[in-house]
Amino acid sequence: MPVTVVVGAQWGDEGKAKVIDLLSKDHGYVVRYQGGHNAGHTVVVGDERYALQLIPSGILYDHVVPVIANGVVVDMPTLFTEMDALERRGISCERLMVSSHAHLIFPWHQAWDALAEAGRGEAKIGTTLKGIGPAYADKARRVGLRAGDVLDPTSFAAALKERAAVENALLVASGGASIDVDAIVAQFVVFAARLAPYVRDTVSELHEALAAGHQLLLEGAQATFLDLDHGTYPYVTSSNPTAGGACVGTGLGPRDIDRIVGITKAYTTRVGAGPFPTELVGDPGGDLGDKLVDIGREFGTVTGRRRRPGWIDCVMLRQAVRLNSLTELALTKLDVFDTFESVKVCTGYRLGDSVLANYPDRMELLADVEPIYAEFPGWNRSLADIREPNDLPMEAQDFVRLIEMEVGVPIRIVGVGAERDDYLLWS
Ligand code: GDP
Ligand code: IMO
Ligand code: MG
């Protein structure tokens, strides 16, 4: 299949990077299509743990061309820190391409992110404070600087100076701390010179790669329910992680895409605020939630925050199938339940006296729904070494089968551990 999209089906951190690493074996190009360094994508190879924020997870293979496409917002300091760290570990970043249309993040974006969060009082979104929302806002306001702008150093320096001065004045007028305009200009002119050799017309590069017979893997960051249009607004990110965003964010057309893989954990997590119907809170739920967080190591790669834990939610996943045209699911972290007495799957939502037919379109409704659960006995053994579906304990097979039936698309990959090879092909 020439073009495959990998998209998070929940609220992020589903294990997208591990699945992308696995699929990268068969792909010539791995392309990030939205988001920025708010993402934290972890790949474990033997004793090595790679935590990537901006660079596509396919970078670990020599044959892969990693591409940061137009839909991404690029924080140059993070990009270079990440490149240097990879190079130190023997992974070359020479073949990286950055779209000339990708927007750049600057320190004022982070300052605005912090100011906006502070201004929200109790109603904080819980952003990563990386400046993602303000950078996309500048893109929409048509005042952003793009990667292609660095190719003309003189006009880039002038535009940078002007933008920094304007933003500084606005920040101060809004009660924010001032930014050091001269220091930012001096620093970012140097970053710009370093970025220039990587800047490309990635739309042409990708279409030519496709025409030459290469397979492309489009890597989503964040997830379906953090999507600016379709997620739990305003508790969302400022881009479109859903599969449609893969077209907009790369310049490939909808008909170029063949396979769309939704990634879900065997349970659900969410970082930051917002409604979460199947969240495990309070006793005895609190203990089970803590157990999930401990065993699943559910702490953010980027911010170190504890992720909120809960049961898997098939109502969400059915909506994810619709929103993304998912052709299949990958179910990760099944092994996290190895020591659980019992496990639950949410199959529907009750609201008052009725069972909802669709995912609620309004956040207030989502906050009020009551999940309907199917409960399974646990399997009480380690899944780590299992590589064949038939070798899974019956209880685990029943659990996977119910999810597959409820969601209505085949599950292809099941994760049974964090390492690269800890998975089995279910169907
Ligand atoms: P992403 O943002 O979707 O790429 O996911 P993250 O990398 O933020 O979080 C997923 C975490 O789960 C990472 O630490 C992975 O190493 C780990 N992981 C992925 N798949 C599995 C699995 O099947 N089992 C276990 N135990 N860990 C997994
Ligand atoms: P990956 O790619 C989980 C969440 C933040 C916050 C909201 C808005 O690793 O799955 P932002 O800084 O984007 O404006 O924050 O989105 N968020 C993520 N949660 N995984 C991520 O990325 C996330 N990226 C952003 O916690 O609730
Ligand atoms: Mg993550």
Side-chain angles (χ1 to χ4, degrees):
M1 303 233 193
V3 183
T4 297
V5 179
V6 170
V7 56
Q10 300 170 309
W11 280 296
D13 305 320
E14 296 91 348
K16 296 179 289 294
K18 187 186 145 184
V19 175
I20 288 157
D21 173 73
L22 163 67
L23 298 177
S24 291
K25 282 182 208 154
D26 306 322
H27 290 80
Y29 288 68
V30 180
V31 188
R32 263 288 296 273
Y33 61 82
Q34 46 64 237
H37 63 314
N38 48 349
H41 295 171
T42 309
V43 182
V44 182
V45 185
D47 293 337
E48 299 283 326
R49 175 177 288 268
Y50 299 91
L52 301 161
Q53 288 178 260
L54 265 173
I55 297 185
S57 308
I59 185 85
L60 304 181
Y61 289 96
D62 285 342
H63 70 271
V64 166
V65 178
V67 179
I68 294 178
N70 57 280
V72 177
V73 283
V74 178
D75 184 75
M76 291 192 280
T78 304
L79 177 65
F80 299 137
T81 303
E82 210 170 311
M83 285 167 70
D84 291 343
L86 285 167
E87 298 272 358
R88 274 198 300 278
R89 294 167 86 172
I91 292 159
S92 167
C93 295
E94 216 176 317
R95 49 202 198 286
L96 179 73
M97 297 182 187
V98 179
S99 164
S100 56
H101 289 190
H103 279 249
L104 299 174
I105 296 186
F106 294 97
W108 58 84
H109 294 127
Q110 277 122 25
W112 282 120
D113 205 349
L115 197 63
E117 280 288 82
R120 286 186 189 108
E122 292 297 297
K124 289 191 190 351
I125 289 170
T127 75
T128 59
L129 299 176
K130 301 292 181 191
I132 304 297
Y136 279 115
D138 275 3
K139 176 176 177 175
R141 291 198 304 132
R142 291 151 295 172
V143 295
L145 292 173
R146 306 197 293 181
D149 295 331
V150 308
L151 299 176
D152 181 341
T154 311
S155 67
F156 177 77
L160 175 62
K161 194 165 183 178
E162 193 190 317
R163 291 289 311 128
V166 168
E167 295 293 339
N168 186 40
L170 286 172
L171 275 165
V172 172
S174 306
S178 68
I179 50 171
D180 186 338
V181 173
D182 292 337
I184 290 172
V185 173
Q187 220 185 3
F188 278 74
V189 159
V190 176
F191 289 142
R194 186 168 173 193
L195 184 69
Y198 299 95
V199 175
R200 297 273 196 295
D201 168 6
T202 54
V203 174
S204 297
E205 295 277 358
L206 294 177
H207 280 277
E208 279 159 22
L210 206 51
H214 287 286
Q215 315 250 42
L216 316 185
L217 186 57
L218 311 187
E219 170 175 355
Q222 290 80 52
T224 301
F225 293 89
L226 289 173
D227 186 281
L228 182 58
D229 284 78
H230 299 291
T232 45
Y233 190 92
Y235 301 102
V236 293
T237 192
S238 299
S239 66
N240 292 112
T242 43
C247 291
V248 178
T250 59
L252 294 164
R255 289 196 300 135
D256 291 324
I257 294 171
D258 308 273
R259 180 183 181 195
I260 305 172
V261 186
I263 317 295
T264 174
K265 289 185 210 193
Y267 49 95
T268 310
T269 60
R270 148 162 234 177
V271 208
F276 183 170
T278 63
E279 184 170 16
L280 280 158
V281 277
D283 284 323
D287 292 346
L288 279 181
D290 286 344
K291 188 170 171 178
L292 260 183
V293 169
D294 284 349
I295 300 177
R297 295 159 138 227
E298 297 297 350
F299 293 92
T301 331
V302 175
T303 57
R305 288 179 291 176
R306 181 185 189 272
R307 297 175 183 147
R308 297 159 57 194
W311 299 114
I312 193 166
D313 183 341
C314 295
V315 187
M316 275 179 88
L317 296 175
R318 286 196 286 270
Q319 179 78 344
V321 170
R322 285 181 160 184
L323 292 170
N324 298 293
S325 299
L326 297 182
T327 55
E328 63 191 84
L329 278 177
L331 181 76
T332 63
K333 304 190 100 164
L334 187 61
D335 55 291
V336 172
F337 283 140
D338 284 354
T339 59
F340 276 60
E341 290 286 301
S342 64
V343 288
K344 287 189 187 176
V345 175
C346 167
T347 56
Y349 289 163
R350 195 172 283 120
L351 187 66
D353 291 336
S354 49
V355 173
L356 298 185
N358 291 316
Y359 192 77
D361 66 326
R362 284 187 293 130
M363 280 242 315
E364 310 82 85
L365 300 181
L366 192 62
D368 283 347
V369 300
E370 209 182 296
I372 301 165
Y373 288 113
E375 188 161 2
F376 291 82
W379 40 89
N380 288 307
R381 54 167 288 202
S382 167
L383 304 185
D385 297 325
I386 296 179
R387 295 291 175 267
E388 294 296 329
N390 290 337
D391 294 340
L392 281 173
M394 265 313 154
E395 295 86 348
Q397 290 191 35
D398 289 345
F399 177 80
V400 177
R401 244 183 247 117
L402 179 79
I403 295 166
E404 200 169 35
M405 195 188 77
E406 283 290 331
V407 181
V409 294
I411 291 175
R412 298 273 183 230
I413 297 164
V414 173
V416 291
E419 285 206 27
R420 185 178 250 180
D421 296 328
D422 291 343
Y423 70 92
L424 54 92
L425 296 178
W426 171 261
S427 66

